[in-house]
Amino acid sequence: MVVIHGVSVTPRFPLPSSSARPLTTAFNGNSSLSFFLKKHPLSRKIFAGKQSAEFDSIAASDKVLVPDNLDDDPSSFSQEPQRFDLEIQTMEENEAVRTEVQSSVFDPSNVVKERGLKPRIVPPPSDGKKIYDIDPMLRSYSSHLDYRYGQYRRLREEIDKYEGGLEAFSRGYEKLGFSRSDAGITYREWAPGAKAASLIGDFNNWNPNADIMTRNEFGVWEIFLPNNTDGSPAIPHGSRVKIRMDTPSGIKDSIPAWIKFSVQAPGEIPFNGIYYDPPEEEKYVFKHPQPKRPKSLRIYEAHVGMSSTEPMVNTYANFRDDVLPRIKRLGYNAVQIMAIQEHSYYASFGYHVTNFFAPSSRCGTPEELKSLIDRAHELGLVVLMDIVHSHASKNTLDGLNMFDGTDAHYFHSGPRGNHWMWDSRLFNYGSWEVLRYLLSNARWWLEEYKFDGYRFDGVTSMMYTHHGLSVGFTGNYTEYFGLETDVDAVTYLMLVNDMIHGLYPEAITVGEDVSGMPTFCIPVQDGGVGFDYRLHMAIADKWIEILKKRDEDWQMGDIVYTLTNRRWSEKCISYAESHDQALVGDKTIAFWLMDKDMYDFMAVDRPSTPLIDRGIALHKMIRLITMGLGGEGYLNFMGNEFGHPEWIDFPRGEQRLSDGSVIPGNNFSYDKCRRRFDLGDADYLRYRGLQEFDQAMQHLEEKYGFMTSKHQFISRKDEGDRVIICERGDLVFVFNFHWTSSYFDYRIGCSKPGKYKIVLDSDDPLFGGFGRLDSKAEYFTYDGSYDGRPCSFMVYAPCRTAVVYALANHD
């Protein structure tokens, strides 16, 4: 019998008799003004410790599970989940009002009715047994898989019982953090380790004694700030805010965990939380409907900050106006935006998140981000967000780490809570409040910003206690279903996929998984993890491996095997390279192929070199065969469509490590943190041909839909000729990787008889080729089996070319 990790439950302990204690430590005030406002009212009546009317009526849908004293011996933790209300009342008083409340104000169905929304519910779990019909090999691991599904069902049942369902549970941002009513502003924060807390900011001249918070017996701190006498909010829009806590680690100022916007002032190191609640006339109103989910995904991966041709941090507005039309013109139907969640360290590429609910302020305001997304929708582009739930920044000044002064607040304590390679903190997915936080975060971006889905970062790291480090996955099922599987994390992934697909049926989820976890892209109802697509990371790694070899050592069978090695019925996003290959210290495919020659020999009016000719030819072939055979979707990182000649190097200073070694910086230069789109647009440079070919690739897939066709057949992978011939949908692809040999009257098999024509030719002069094929030529089939196909026709296959044929009567 397989022994599996159980779901850890965060305990609670008795509290001291006083639920609210004054801050006795002297705080230093800060009287600096708001970023957004020159003046703001400060005179108002203070109701320190008073609960809001809304808070007094929170029902069972607002219960939390928190530890009360994280300094106690962890071995004494209760193993049974215990639920409780947020309000500061006795348990007997809670029970007295619960029946009335559940049937009135906070009934989720009533909330839906009041807002005029269509009721949205997540379907209840099924038995999760269909995975065994899809993959009978899984039956040998049914003890693990049934346990996993049982944990998921248990959580769903408890969420239904204590939180009013997954729909209500995933709206934690409506209760925690800042919420505004007609009467005033309520601020709540889960910080069980704190001994005392107060809300400070521009609105009260950073006076820690002005707005002291009260704590309920389960570690939720709260304060209600009534409106000013003139009806204006107590905290003006744009004011800087923080929570000051007396913690086991000392006095600490933290940005609220649920903050919706945070800003770093010029010349300052720490960020400040911003109370973001613009007046109605300043709020962006979405004008365009969200596009339907495309049948096939052609994703343009982009980083807003580095999307300018100039060495600067680009803005949401510039990206909206300059880059989105380019993406549409190239033929992509989806844009995947990186580094949206606020991250204090720019060079982390957005992967060391500090403020999970806040869009990066470097690029503009939340309203400008909404405008960007709305413009994408107007162009028919779906917008995916690169969301990071696999880890968090270690930054204790701006982020969640040691938020309430304890090591095990949102994260596992000790080594399990630290990712040694990424130098980051790891969430405790078995904690009730962590589930609330992350599920609500996933919903927030879909609900508030109208994102159309997510690419979940670092999923392999989440699913295994070894994080996939120094592990070579061979495909043996024992690698996926055993003691090294983090069932808590996998269960969270099931919950978040279930929530997203249940509430937003058109939303798309892509998981970054290199392990090949079985059931990864099977619906949760059937027993799977629930992603729509797996990011096929092995393909990019294979191309780098191949590019280090001589042409003579390339193996056609190895290429085909890597591109087609994916689980039946589980969809993949293929890519030849992403942002990972473009980072400093690595090389893009173009750089592997052409190296420094790109700087001197890319002008069309100057002689080329053998290295450039080879590089341009193979760059096109690699992209097309990856798109043709690699999966049901395709991804490209911005700039790679034309072989961007520069790597990505974020502005950074010298870094000294704990062992005394030094990582040199770049003097905080932005020179390599941009994209030279002007190179791809210049008709006097050879980059233009590479970009034109990428555009032709995307439009070919749009017309023929070959990536999502169920018909895929490889009829030839000839190691001697260096030729690969395959069918995808109604198209026939011919790849000749030979460096010198071109083949006349080369016979290729096909499945349908008739007249064929060329629909894409990498050797076309428009794409920087040599024009060795006649684009108007017609090819007629012969009857009779060839290469396992019922028909065939004869072609000319020049060396280092990729040509696609289609029936002439397809249109």
Side-chain angles (χ1 to χ4, degrees):
M1 179 176 179
V2 180
V3 181
I4 307 162
H5 296 300
V7 173
S8 58
V9 178
T10 315
R12 58 189 178 93
F13 292 88
L15 272 176
S17 57
S18 174
S19 62
R21 288 170 286 180
L23 295 172
T24 55
T25 306
F27 293 124
N28 294 320
N30 187 330
S31 60
S32 55
L33 296 178
S34 163
F35 285 119
F36 295 163
L37 303 174
K38 293 182 179 178
K39 296 181 179 180
H40 55 272
L42 292 176
S43 59
R44 59 179 175 79
K45 187 175 181 181
I46 305 295
F47 285 79
K50 177 175 172 56
Q51 307 301 316
S52 67
E54 175 190 6
F55 195 76
D56 287 338
S57 61
I58 293 179
S61 62
D62 301 286
K63 297 175 181 178
V64 294
L65 173 67
V66 295
D68 193 81
N69 187 348
L70 295 177
D71 294 329
D72 285 334
D73 181 6
S75 65
S76 65
F77 283 7
S78 166
Q79 294 303 307
E80 292 298 323
Q82 301 181 44
R83 314 289 184 257
F84 45 84
D85 290 333
L86 278 171
E87 58 264 40
I88 303 178
Q89 298 173 328
T90 66
M91 298 304 289
E92 292 77 10
E93 290 172 332
N94 289 339
E95 288 298 328
V97 301
R98 184 166 295 138
T99 303
E100 176 185 353
V101 172
Q102 283 181 324
S103 61
S104 58
V105 179
F106 282 93
D107 187 299
S109 61
N110 288 341
V111 174
V112 169
K113 291 174 185 176
E114 290 172 7
R115 296 177 179 176
L117 302 174
K118 294 180 180 179
R120 290 189 291 184
I121 59 171
V122 181
S126 65
D127 60 7
K129 300 290 187 181
K130 191 174 180 180
I131 51 172
Y132 302 124
D133 297 328
I134 296 171
D135 185 355
M137 289 179 61
L138 294 172
R139 296 185 187 279
S140 299
Y141 303 89
S142 60
S143 58
H144 178 108
L145 291 165
D146 289 348
Y147 174 83
R148 184 179 84 180
Y149 202 76
Q151 293 297 88
Y152 157 76
R153 286 177 62 99
R154 181 186 65 80
L155 278 173
R156 282 294 307 272
E157 290 167 1
E158 292 182 352
I159 290 171
D160 288 346
K161 180 178 179 181
Y162 298 110
E163 300 285 353
L166 199 51
E167 194 279 334
F169 190 48
S170 60
R171 285 191 278 112
Y173 48 79
E174 294 180 354
K175 304 297 186 299
L176 289 157
F178 291 95
S179 59
R180 187 172 172 201
S181 65
D182 292 339
I185 298 169
T186 302
Y187 170 55
R188 303 186 187 99
E189 196 73 74
W190 175 59
K195 304 171 186 176
S198 65
L199 182 62
I200 57 175
D202 292 334
F203 73 100
N204 63 7
N205 281 327
W206 301 87
N207 181 358
N209 299 310
D211 294 294
I212 298 174
M213 303 178 70
T214 56
R215 164 183 169 161
N216 72 10
E217 61 180 303
F218 306 110
V220 176
W221 297 87
E222 180 192 0
I223 189 168
F224 174 67
L225 305 176
N227 290 335
N228 295 314
T229 54
D230 62 358
S232 61
I235 309 178
H237 164 58
S239 296
R240 293 176 296 178
V241 290
K242 285 191 175 183
I243 178 174
R244 179 163 293 184
M245 292 175 284
D246 183 3
T247 79
S249 303
I251 301 300
K252 183 176 187 292
D253 290 354
S254 295
I255 295 175
W258 299 73
I259 200 72
K260 305 305 189 296
F261 197 44
S262 63
V263 170
Q264 184 182 38
E268 292 186 3
I269 294 176
F271 278 65
N272 280 284
I274 300 295
Y275 177 72
Y276 195 85
D277 185 22
E280 290 300 321
E281 63 271 15
E282 294 181 16
K283 292 181 180 179
Y284 186 84
V285 178
F286 287 90
K287 305 175 184 66
H288 305 284
Q290 293 177 249
K292 295 292 184 183
R293 180 199 296 223
K295 186 177 181 181
S296 62
L297 273 180
R298 300 186 300 276
I299 302 172
Y300 196 84
E301 184 185 33
H303 184 289
V304 172
M306 58 176 295
S307 63
S308 172
T309 58
E310 301 299 322
M312 57 178 279
V313 178
N314 208 14
T315 66
Y316 296 128
N318 289 345
F319 188 91
R320 175 196 65 205
D321 297 338
D322 300 334
V323 183
L324 286 179
R326 169 184 297 276
I327 296 170
K328 177 66 175 180
R329 185 173 66 252
L330 286 172
Y332 291 87
N333 58 19
V335 54
Q336 178 179 300
I337 307 181
M338 308 172 61
I340 290 295
Q341 294 166 292
E342 188 60 89
H343 47 291
S344 60
Y345 184 45
Y346 192 45
S348 75
F349 223 142
Y351 291 118
H352 281 199
V353 176
T354 45
N355 309 124
F356 283 78
F357 287 82
S360 179
S361 58
R362 292 180 180 87
C363 301
T365 68
E367 308 312 305
E368 289 168 332
L369 174 57
K370 292 175 183 178
S371 175
L372 182 162
I373 295 169
D374 199 28
R375 173 59 174 151
H377 291 163
E378 182 184 10
L379 293 170
L381 300 170
V382 299
V383 187
L384 305 180
M385 176 177 159
D386 200 345
I387 195 168
V388 183
H389 282 182
S390 50
H391 62 136
S393 171
K394 271 190 173 179
N395 185 328
T396 59
L397 205 58
D398 306 318
L400 296 179
N401 189 24
M402 302 289 290
F403 182 84
D404 67 350
T406 64
D407 185 53
H409 185 195
Y410 283 94
F411 311 107
H412 288 292
S413 61
R416 189 180 178 189
N418 290 272
H419 198 295
W420 63 268
M421 178 175 282
W422 293 350
D423 192 33
S424 57
R425 295 304 311 269
L426 298 172
F427 286 106
N428 176 7
Y429 302 103
S431 163
W432 194 261
E433 284 310 298
V434 170
L435 290 179
R436 186 197 305 276
Y437 186 81
L438 295 178
L439 288 169
S440 298
N441 186 246
R443 183 169 184 181
W444 167 253
W445 296 102
L446 299 178
E447 188 79 20
E448 181 71 14
Y449 288 86
K450 309 301 179 189
F451 278 98
D452 301 291
Y454 296 114
R455 177 261 200 189
F456 278 82
D457 172 70
V459 175
T460 300
S461 174
M462 295 172 67
M463 294 192 299
Y464 308 96
T465 55
H466 52 59
H467 311 302
L469 301 176
S470 303
V471 176
F473 291 97
T474 65
N476 188 312
Y477 279 26
T478 58
E479 298 167 347
Y480 308 112
F481 310 123
L483 293 174
E484 293 177 321
T485 303
D486 189 332
V487 177
D488 287 352
V490 176
T491 304
Y492 164 69
L493 293 171
M494 295 168 72
L495 282 171
V496 74
N497 274 299
D498 213 12
M499 183 272 291
I500 291 171
H501 292 127
L503 302 180
Y504 307 90
E506 291 295 314
I508 301 162
T509 60
V510 181
E512 185 194 31
D513 172 42
V514 72
S515 74
M517 163 74 79
T519 76
F520 191 76
C521 293
I522 293 177
V524 176
Q525 292 290 310
D526 298 336
V529 182
F531 285 98
D532 295 309
Y533 296 89
R534 171 189 275 111
L535 207 61
H536 202 334
M537 302 173 69
I539 296 176
D541 294 338
K542 175 58 67 173
W543 283 124
I544 299 304
E545 175 189 323
I546 291 173
L547 289 169
K548 294 177 181 178
K549 301 177 180 178
R550 304 178 307 156
D551 289 27
E552 295 88 338
D553 297 326
W554 289 25
Q555 297 296 314
M556 302 300 101
D558 189 28
I559 293 172
V560 169
Y561 174 79
T562 301
L563 291 171
T564 59
N565 182 27
R566 53 187 182 274
R567 296 192 181 278
W568 179 74
S569 81
E570 298 192 42
K571 294 185 289 187
C572 287
I573 302 292
S574 65
Y575 61 97
E577 54 187 341
S578 68
H579 65 271
D580 288 327
Q581 288 72 39
L583 286 167
V584 63
D586 209 331
K587 288 184 180 181
T588 62
I589 288 176
F591 217 84
W592 275 108
L593 290 168
M594 296 177 279
D595 205 69
K596 65 181 184 298
D597 278 22
M598 285 193 290
Y599 294 109
D600 299 313
F601 300 101
M602 292 299 278
V604 296
D605 61 350
R606 296 181 61 183
S608 181
T609 67
L611 196 65
I612 291 294
D613 290 341
R614 173 182 180 267
I616 288 176
L618 290 178
H619 196 275
K620 291 177 287 187
M621 296 182 70
I622 287 170
R623 283 180 285 159
L624 183 59
I625 197 170
T626 298
M627 188 183 211
L629 285 178
E632 291 71 30
Y634 178 79
L635 178 142
N636 166 69
F637 178 67
M638 63 179 187
N640 287 351
E641 69 272 13
F642 59 84
H644 201 287
E646 293 180 343
W647 55 93
I648 301 167
D649 191 6
F650 279 84
R652 53 192 172 83
E654 182 180 88
Q655 184 178 4
R656 296 184 177 275
L657 303 181
S658 57
D659 61 2
S661 60
V662 176
I663 300 175
N666 61 10
N667 199 27
F668 296 99
S669 171
Y670 285 84
D671 185 61
K672 296 293 188 289
C673 194
R674 55 176 173 157
R675 294 285 89 179
R676 293 291 307 275
F677 292 119
D678 54 313
L679 300 178
D681 293 342
D683 56 10
Y684 55 87
L685 294 177
R686 292 185 167 91
Y687 296 107
R688 177 68 176 269
L690 295 174
Q691 179 170 281
E692 291 288 344
F693 182 75
D694 201 89
Q695 179 172 302
M697 268 177 32
Q698 309 308 320
H699 287 287
L700 181 74
E701 206 288 324
E702 173 69 23
K703 180 176 181 178
Y704 291 94
F706 58 83
M707 285 197 302
T708 53
S709 172
K710 293 182 180 179
H711 176 62
Q712 177 174 306
F713 190 91
I714 293 91
S715 59
R716 177 169 294 199
K717 40 187 177 181
D718 194 310
E719 301 295 351
D721 293 345
R722 295 295 198 275
V723 169
I724 296 171
I725 300 172
C726 59
E727 298 169 17
R728 191 84 188 268
D730 293 333
L731 302 179
V732 180
F733 294 76
V734 179
F735 299 92
N736 180 5
F737 281 96
H738 203 285
W739 49 100
T740 56
S741 296
S742 300
Y743 306 108
F744 292 91
D745 295 332
Y746 201 79
R747 192 174 180 186
I748 63 174
C750 60
S751 60
K752 295 181 179 179
K755 180 174 69 175
Y756 282 78
K757 64 178 181 179
I758 294 175
V759 291
L760 183 61
D761 169 19
S762 70
D763 202 43
D764 192 309
L766 176 65
F767 310 139
F770 297 101
R772 288 170 285 178
L773 288 170
D774 181 359
S775 61
K776 297 181 180 178
E778 297 176 338
Y779 304 85
F780 296 88
T781 60
Y782 301 90
D783 293 333
S785 177
Y786 187 78
D787 280 349
R789 313 312 290 142
C791 309
S792 61
F793 57 96
M794 311 287 278
V795 301
Y796 172 43
C799 61
R800 285 183 180 147
T801 59
V803 185
V804 185
Y805 299 87
L807 282 168
N809 62 354
H810 174 88
D811 294 336

